Each structure stands twice: as structure tokens, then as C-alpha cells.
Amino acid sequence: MCGIVGYIGKEQAAPILLSGLEKLEYRGYDSAGIAVLGDNKINMVKTKGRLKVLFEKIHGGTDIKGSIGIGHTRWATHGAPSDINSHPHMSNGGKIAVVHNGIIENYLKLKASLEEKGYKFVSDTDTEVISHLIDYYYNGNMIDAIIKTIHRIEGSYALGIISSEHPGELFAVRKASPLIVGVGNGENFIASDIPAIISRTRDVYFLEDNEIVWFKGDTIKILDADKNEVKKDIFHVDWDVSAAEKGGYEHFMIKEIMEQPKAIEDTVCPRIKNGEIVLDDIKITKEHIEKLKRIYIIGCGSAYHVGVVGKYVIEKLTRIPVEVDLASEFRYRDPLVGKDDLVIVISQSGETADTLAALREAKKRGARVLSVVNVVGSSIARDSDDVLYTWAGPEISVATTKAYSTQMQALYLIAIHLGINNGHITEEQKNDLLAEMQTIPSKVSKILTNVSSLQSYASKKYSSKDVFFLGRGLDYCVALEGSLKLKEISYIHSEAYAAGELKHGTISLIEDGTLVIALATQKDLFEKILSNIKEVKARGATVFAIALEGNTEIEKEADFVVYLPKIESIFTPALTVIPLQIFSYYMAVNKGCDVDKPRNLAKSVTVE
Ligand code: G6P
């Protein structure tokens, strides 16, 4: 959601900014722009539409001269996507240019007061108040002007700023929106995320709220809001450039689907040593675990769906009651969370605004927070008491696949760890659970070797208008994710239902030919779901079922069946989701959708 790149060095900035922005396309955007300092003035070009429109407009950047600049991809919040509303935004007179990710909540009040002082606004954005405010406070010292500005603005922001009065400098600041500093060789960067700069440097600084970065020549100074210099350690990113490239696949999504066995292995294997779970990263004590009254799991989107799986699994293995909450609801519902509770926060990006706010709410109320995060050093990771990183590597496709799968593995690890520590898992059960869990990567690989039947089934079904996903128990939890995956990338309406709920309304929507995807992997519930399949078949539905190998009885009812390798019921979600991801992918491809960047969606949702 909005991407920022900034460059200061010796090369021409514009092509570097464009290529950085390209790497942030996954975040979701509807317009783009850059501003470059050259000949002591700011040259700005911005446009509605995809980056290639901007690219063509400035001939790949060759039209714009200068070696310091800022770039932006905008995901509209205040004001429709348009050339004018695109970033950067300039102060009147063109002295200052700003790119912004986040939302300025008090912008209307600030706008009115700036208008009274004679400032003219040209856009509908909240961001424009920032360039005018900096200009208003500027009296020769940019740092002072930025500090005064951040004292006036409320909300969230990551800002890249240049000024024609400071032709060798670049400025940045952030609060509650992501921004990193890339430290290169004779050149430095700012960016919303690592893929934007990884081809030029792997050394980064993570910034705390309201730290101001002042780049001058090839020096970097980081200051707090009282202008004290802050010393930081460099974080070295060890994944290689190809991890953020498509590597021969048509889309990031299919590449990331295929990467799942490795991502799962990387997340799980280092944490099982000599038959024991070793969670070095988690400091919560056995005494604390024994006293836990309740567990809350919080996330948004697919991360929330992982939480639903987590509830079933943790309750089963620990007998501790678990509540799963959407972060956007938890933060405002005056939750009963307190010091005897553990809050598990799940987030791929570690920057989702609602999830971060929910985390802070839980901490304020005394709960211990354990987060499951993919992006190292992200805000959620830094604000948590404990972090269990998922080692999925960079996930570029907006629709998550490998992050979802690794988050699920992290929850299995947590559930088993808690169960061992509170005495609900015996030594023998632990051994069985860990042995079974370690079979998951090879079973996922096996499913991935046979995508062609799903591909050809999708080629027959992609014109479906509505699709219903049914499941019971853990199958229902995965149905939620399967349905989201399908609708978000293929724009086909779909809903997930607990199969037992069918008769309470949904069944009236089943007509001749309606596609129903029935998940039938739960041993104890197999007969029940078979009955539900019969019910929809009797009303004309076409049924695509997913079952475990050997359960061929399902073929009598279903029109198309995908079999999964046998696995204990508790671990089936790790396998069931895979054919659903593949099916959604091919449905979207057949429809000609922009699979990696579905319309209106953003990968990292940094606004409420
Ligand atoms: C967006 C993404 C989803 C993701 C959700 C939560 O909606 O498109 O794939 O599940 O945000 O993101 P997070 O980074 O917190 O996991």
C-alpha cells in the first residue's frame, strides 16, 4: 500500500527510482511519480496508472537529470487516482517535494489553517498539507522544519523529502508506516521494503517512530525528535536477489506456491532438534504458560484465517480456551484481555496498521504478546515480547500463499510447545506429533507435482459466477482461506460455509451447475460431510472434493476429486490449502486477471 523509494548517490537517480518502484508494485498502487533534484530545482513527473505509463513518459528516466530523488507508487485513500493526486506533492513555489505513505488524520484542520495563511492546494490528498507545512516552518534549516511538521501532523506517515534549497541532501522520517534506510557504497536509499533496494545493497537500518534521517553527500545521520543523534546497528539481509524475482515463472504467485515445501522446511526444521521443540526466540516461561487463562489470536485477511486453524489446534493440544479476532475489531471492542492471557499476533508484513494497533492495545492491557511475523525487523516484530519468525522469504504476490503456510506451521509449533509445557501433551504424543509434522514438506511437494489436473479443471470452471466452499472442523478453517484466495484474485464471488450451517440459509443459493468445493479430510467428520455433499448434489450442484488418499467412497458423490497424501487430521490444513491455491491461481489465469496485483488490493495494508 503506497511504495516509497529514495536515492542519493552519484548515478542518475530517475532510472534507479523507477526500478525500485517496480519492485514495490506488489504492494498495490494506482498511480506513480518521481521528483529529482537537478540544476538546483526539483523536476517532478507523475501520472495515474501503472508504472509503465510513467516509464514511457520519461523514457525510462533518461529525461530527468539529477542524482538525488524520491519516487512513489500511490494507493488512493484521499482523492481518486489522478495525475494531480499522485505523489510527489510540492510546496507552493516548488521548493519542497514530499512522498508519503500513511494517512494524516487531522489534514482538514491543517489545510484550513494553511489556506488562511495563503497556501493554495491543488490536490484532494491529505499529503499535500505536509509539503506546505514544511515550507511554512522552513527558515533555512530543514531538520527544524521537519520536526515542527511532525509535531503538527497526526496519523501515520513514512516520508521522503527533498528541497531545492538543499541540493545535496535527502530527508526521511516515519511513524507507524514502514520505511527502511539502505546503506550502499557511496550511495544510500530509503524504501518501504527491502526488495526495492536489494539489487544495490543488503545493509539496512530499521527506523523507530519519529526518527529523522538526514542524508548529505554519502553520510547518513539519524536524529530523534529532539535532534539527538541515534546510533544504530546495520542489519544485513541475507536472502539473495533472485528471491525477489520471478525466476522463470509467469507470476510470483505460482512461484511462491511452488516454494512452499522449502519455506515450511526452513520454518520448522531448525526448531525441531533431537526430537525436541526448540523455540529459542520465545522467552515465555513454563510458569507463565501454566498460568495462562486464555489465548487470543489476532490478524487480518489470511493471517486471521491461520488464526482460525490455530484456535482448533491450540485448544485441542493445550485445552486452553482460544479466541480468534480480526485485528480491526479487537482494537475497538474493549476486549477482556489481561495479564493472564497470551496474545498471538500473526502478520506476514509486520506492518498491517490494524494488527499493530491491536497488538499495542493488548500490551496496554497487560497481556504478553507473541508475534508470528515474516518480515524481520518490522514494527510488529519490534513491538512484541516474543517473535517467532516464519522463514518464507520475500512474498511478492498480493495474495499470500507461502506466508500463510508457514504461519500455520508456526502455530503448530507454538501449540505443541504450549501443550508440552502445560502438561497436556505426553512424551509419546509429542514424538508422534513432531514425527508427523516433519512429513509435511514432502507431502506438500507431492501435491505440487500434480498441478495439471487442477489446471485443466480450472479451464472448465473459470466462468463460474458463484462458488461455495464447504468443510467441517479444520476443513472449515481452510475453506475460509480457499474462498478468499479464489475471490481476491479471480473476482469470482465465493463463500465459505461450515457444512453444518448449509441448511440454515446457504442451500437456497445452490442451483443447477453451481460449483461447490467440499473439503473432506477430517476422519471423524467424513460421513457428515458426505451427507452434505449429497444434499447439494440433490439440488444440482457440481462438486469438487478434496479427500485423503484411500477415501474413494467420495467418488460416488463428487464430480471431481483431488486426493491428498494421508496425514493425521490435525495437520490436514497444511495440505488441503495447496490444491485450493493452485485452483484459484488457474481460475484467475484463465480469466486473464492480473494475478499478482489484483484490483483494489494492497499487500501491506498500512492504513486502517
Ligand atoms: C492484505 C494481504 C493479505 C494478508 C493481509 C494481512 O490484505 O493481501 O494477503 O493476509 O493483508 O497482512 P499481514 O501482512 O498482516 O499478514
Side-chain angles (χ1 to χ4, degrees):
M1 188 168 269
C2 294
I4 290 179
V5 185
Y7 174 79
I8 177 164
K10 296 190 179 56
E11 292 182 34
Q12 290 301 307
I16 296 172
L17 295 172
L18 287 173
S19 106
L21 289 176
E22 211 184 323
K23 300 288 184 315
L24 296 178
E25 279 192 293
Y26 73 89
R27 299 172 70 81
Y29 72 103
D30 41 54
S31 43
I34 61 168
V36 172
L37 272 167
D39 301 328
N40 292 346
K41 67 176 183 20
I42 296 174
N43 302 299
M44 179 171 82
V45 185
K46 51 190 197 169
T47 175
K48 181 183 160 184
R50 289 286 181 212
L51 264 177
K52 77 172 183 341
V53 183
L54 178 66
F55 194 89
E56 277 159 18
K57 206 163 172 174
I58 55 177
H59 300 102
T62 49
D63 288 2
I64 312 247
K65 304 285 176 226
S67 57
I68 298 174
I70 48 180
H72 190 265
T73 44
R74 173 175 187 252
W75 189 86
T77 57
H78 294 60
S82 70
D83 291 359
I84 291 283
N85 287 336
S86 310
H87 296 213
H89 287 281
M90 288 253 217
S91 59
N92 293 161
K95 242 181 354 212
I96 286 153
V98 170
V99 287
H100 168 218
N101 173 10
I103 286 182
I104 305 305
E105 287 162 2
N106 59 339
Y107 84 103
L108 283 175
K109 221 165 95 194
L110 292 171
K111 184 172 177 179
S113 109
L114 284 160
E115 276 172 339
E116 266 174 36
K117 294 181 176 75
Y119 282 92
K120 299 261 173 303
F121 282 76
V122 294
S123 77
D124 308 316
T125 65
D126 51 336
T127 303
E128 205 184 340
V129 296
I130 303 173
S131 45
H132 295 324
L133 265 182
I134 298 175
D135 181 76
Y136 173 70
Y137 285 122
Y138 181 73
N139 60 5
N141 185 322
M142 276 298 280
I143 299 292
D144 285 344
I146 292 169
I147 290 175
K148 285 183 181 145
T149 300
I150 61 177
H151 279 128
R152 294 285 311 276
I153 55 181
E154 289 163 17
S156 56
Y157 45 84
L159 302 174
I161 308 157
I162 51 175
S163 161
S164 57
E165 309 256 307
H166 296 259
E169 296 167 56
L170 166 70
F171 305 88
V173 62
R174 62 152 284 196
K175 186 187 153 215
S177 286
L179 196 71
I180 54 164
V181 173
V183 184
N185 191 3
E187 57 181 15
N188 294 307
F189 308 82
I190 53 169
S192 303
D193 199 359
I194 293 166
I197 54 169
I198 186 96
S199 63
R200 304 190 70 101
T201 179
R202 296 214 179 103
D203 290 337
V204 300
Y205 287 128
F206 295 119
L207 300 174
E208 298 299 329
D209 280 357
N210 283 332
E211 285 177 345
I212 300 149
V213 196
W214 181 10
F215 301 88
K216 192 170 184 180
D218 61 2
T219 65
I220 304 175
K221 253 192 199 167
I222 302 176
L223 307 170
D224 67 16
D226 296 320
K227 292 208 277 186
N228 301 309
E229 195 165 344
V230 182
K231 288 281 167 224
K232 280 188 182 283
D233 292 335
I234 283 191
F235 177 83
H236 186 76
V237 181
D238 54 11
W239 36 269
D240 64 68
V241 184
S242 66
E245 309 279 351
K246 271 192 220 150
Y249 286 98
E250 199 183 338
H251 298 103
F252 279 108
M253 184 175 175
I254 189 72
K255 173 180 178 252
E256 289 162 5
I257 287 174
M258 294 299 175
E259 284 171 348
Q260 289 179 109
K262 181 170 185 306
I264 292 173
E265 207 164 290
D266 289 350
T267 301
V268 174
C269 284
R271 284 148 175 163
I272 302 179
K273 289 183 193 142
N274 304 321
E276 301 294 334
I277 289 207
V278 184
L279 300 183
D280 291 333
D281 358 30
I282 299 186
K283 301 283 176 287
I284 184 169
T285 60
K286 184 171 168 52
E287 292 67 45
H288 200 137
I289 294 172
E290 280 167 350
K291 284 201 214 111
L292 285 178
K293 291 233 160 38
R294 200 169 14 189
I295 295 173
Y296 288 82
I297 309 182
I298 299 170
C300 299
S302 298
Y304 168 79
H305 292 158
V306 171
V308 184
V309 174
K311 173 186 165 70
Y312 281 60
V313 173
I314 295 176
E315 286 190 344
K316 200 169 184 62
L317 297 182
T318 69
R319 307 314 289 159
I320 303 171
V322 180
E323 284 191 34
V324 196
D325 261 282
L326 291 163
S328 53
E329 289 299 312
F330 179 89
R331 62 184 292 194
Y332 294 120
R333 77 170 171 86
D334 196 8
L336 289 169
V337 65
K339 66 175 178 25
D340 298 325
D341 303 326
L342 174 68
V343 172
I344 302 176
V345 167
I346 309 176
S347 175
Q348 187 283 128
S349 61
E351 301 292 349
T352 303
D354 280 322
T355 312
L356 183 58
L359 178 163
R360 290 180 175 158
E361 189 60 41
K363 278 190 84 171
K364 207 166 79 193
R365 291 166 187 251
R368 189 178 177 96
V369 174
L370 158 60
S371 64
V372 173
V373 174
N374 195 42
V375 177
V376 175
S378 54
S379 303
I380 289 174
R382 281 181 292 149
D383 276 20
S384 304
D385 297 301
D386 298 303
V387 189
L388 190 66
Y389 281 111
T390 47
W391 298 117
E395 191 178 64
I396 309 294
S397 168
V398 167
T400 179
T401 52
K402 61 175 179 170
Y404 170 90
S405 285
T406 53
Q407 286 163 352
M408 192 192 293
Q409 297 302 312
L411 284 194
Y412 282 128
L413 288 170
I414 292 169
I416 300 172
H417 180 70
L418 296 178
I420 293 169
N421 279 280
N422 80 351
H424 275 275
I425 295 181
T426 63
E427 189 65 18
E428 197 187 335
Q429 282 169 325
K430 177 197 76 183
N431 294 340
D432 292 348
L433 284 166
L434 294 186
E436 190 74 338
M437 202 174 158
Q438 284 170 290
T439 67
I440 293 174
S442 63
K443 290 176 180 168
V444 171
S445 289
K446 188 168 173 209
I447 301 168
L448 291 172
T449 52
N450 184 20
V451 296
S452 54
S453 64
L454 283 158
Q455 184 176 5
S456 97
Y457 194 61
S459 72
K460 293 182 196 123
K461 291 290 165 201
Y462 71 92
S463 48
S464 302
K465 291 269 172 299
D466 306 283
V467 178
F468 294 91
F469 288 73
L470 302 182
R472 285 172 175 265
L474 281 165
D475 280 338
Y476 167 56
C477 310
V478 182
L480 292 170
E481 175 62 7
S483 167
L484 175 62
K485 214 74 322 174
L486 180 68
K487 72 184 123 196
E488 69 181 336
I489 59 170
S490 72
Y491 317 142
I492 295 170
H493 164 250
S494 80
E495 292 186 40
Y497 268 86
E501 270 294 294
L502 203 63
K503 291 194 265 307
H504 302 287
T506 327
I507 202 155
S508 63
L509 299 172
I510 306 293
E511 299 174 342
D512 246 2
T514 305
L515 180 60
V516 171
I517 302 185
L519 312 185
T521 71
Q522 298 300 293
K523 216 170 24 200
D524 298 346
L525 299 167
F526 187 70
E527 297 303 329
K528 305 270 172 215
I529 188 85
L530 264 190
S531 306
N532 297 130
I533 294 176
K534 285 184 186 151
E535 286 162 8
V536 291
K537 281 292 289 181
R539 272 117 192 134
T542 301
V543 174
F544 158 16
I546 300 182
L548 296 186
E549 272 164 11
N551 285 344
T552 46
E553 206 188 320
I554 199 141
E555 283 173 30
K556 285 194 215 132
E557 305 303 333
D559 302 277
F560 173 66
V561 184
V562 166
Y563 288 108
L564 305 175
K566 278 194 183 136
I567 194 159
E568 271 307 310
S569 285
I570 201 164
F571 294 119
T572 56
L575 306 187
T576 318
V577 73
I578 310 289
L580 298 181
Q581 295 168 343
I582 298 168
F583 181 66
S584 299
Y585 172 75
Y586 284 113
M587 291 285 269
V589 169
N590 273 296
K591 284 191 71 181
C593 298
D594 192 351
V595 179
D596 286 335
K597 297 187 284 286
R599 69 184 176 212
N600 306 338
L601 293 183
K603 177 119 192 110
S604 180
V605 182
T606 49
V607 296
E608 256 191 74

